[in-house]
Amino acid sequence: MEGDLVIPDTAQGVVVFAHGSGSSRHSPRNRYVAEVLSKAGLGTLLFDLLTPDEESDRANVFDIGLLAERLRESTAWVRGQDAAAGLPVGYFGASTGAAAALWAAAEPDNEIAAIVSRGGRPDLAGPRLAAVRAPTLLIVGGRDPIVVKLNEEAQRHLHAESRITVVPGATHLFEEPGALEAVAEHARDWFSTHFLQVST
């Protein structure tokens, strides 16, 4: 698997990105969020959940269990890096990547400090939601009513700390002026707060 790992010298933690269907580690939206997190002193890993050959099979793109396993493998790799030793790890998931992040975080041997979902489909994590222990922020666009409802339904199954944040006027891809900036700021604050709680 290919990825881009950036860990500032004084990193508070590392955020592993899980992109959605049809996207990759080169997603400009995720790269923008990663840049904001990096400037705030957070490490980031953007990587491809599937190989090019695997992506050609659409079934793999929506195989949440497979994506979650790749995410866990990448998390273990990050924890094995000297620069990340002992740092808390969080997940930032978009679309189906949010379901993979929640699925992976529900595993009993995978301690995750915080999760942020952007326009995500947490409902696709299904019965795994109740086992998630990480504080979870669900960011949705105000003009994305179907996804808002799906997030509200998924939140009812989360037993960990959770919050839904609606970005007014934003559609599913947060392409409107200021929308992605709002996502990045909410994510930065959520990760910074919960990484600090783990470290103290």
Side-chain angles (χ1 to χ4, degrees):
M1 310 307 297
E2 296 187 15
D4 302 311
L5 176 66
V6 176
I7 302 181
D9 291 339
T10 57
Q12 307 169 34
V14 182
V15 178
V16 181
F17 282 69
H19 59 75
S21 57
S23 187
S24 74
R25 73 182 190 280
H26 300 298
S27 160
R29 286 178 288 275
N30 280 353
R31 285 197 168 275
Y32 172 78
V33 174
E35 183 178 341
V36 171
L37 298 184
S38 182
K39 288 180 179 178
L42 304 178
T44 59
L45 171 65
L46 293 105
F47 76 105
D48 293 329
L49 291 165
L50 299 171
T51 66
D53 286 344
E54 290 171 335
E55 285 181 348
S56 64
D57 183 347
R58 291 294 291 173
N60 288 329
V61 175
F62 293 95
D63 186 337
I64 305 302
L66 171 62
L67 301 180
E69 182 58 31
R70 294 291 169 79
L71 191 54
R72 288 188 63 201
E73 291 170 357
S74 295
T75 304
W77 178 83
V78 167
R79 288 181 168 136
Q81 304 306 301
D82 291 342
L87 292 177
V89 175
Y91 287 154
F92 182 96
S95 188
T96 51
L102 289 160
W103 187 298
E107 294 293 339
D109 60 345
N110 189 22
E111 196 63 37
I112 298 301
I115 300 170
V116 174
S117 162
R118 171 182 63 81
R121 291 292 309 275
D123 55 296
L124 294 178
R128 296 291 185 113
L129 292 171
V132 174
R133 304 174 302 283
T136 301
L137 175 63
L138 305 169
I139 305 175
V140 291
R143 292 171 56 198
D144 194 11
I146 294 176
V147 172
V148 170
K149 288 183 179 180
L150 290 171
N151 275 255
E152 289 174 343
E153 176 61 27
Q155 187 188 31
R156 286 192 275 272
H157 297 281
L158 287 169
H159 298 316
E161 175 190 352
S162 65
R163 180 191 305 166
I164 291 181
T165 294
V166 178
V167 177
T171 51
H172 187 62
L173 295 179
F174 297 88
E175 295 175 311
E176 295 70 25
L180 193 58
E181 288 84 350
V183 168
E185 290 169 5
H186 287 306
R188 177 198 63 203
D189 294 347
W190 190 262
F191 285 123
S192 295
T193 297
H194 290 92
F195 284 170
L196 184 61
Q197 291 176 356
V198 171
S199 302
T200 56

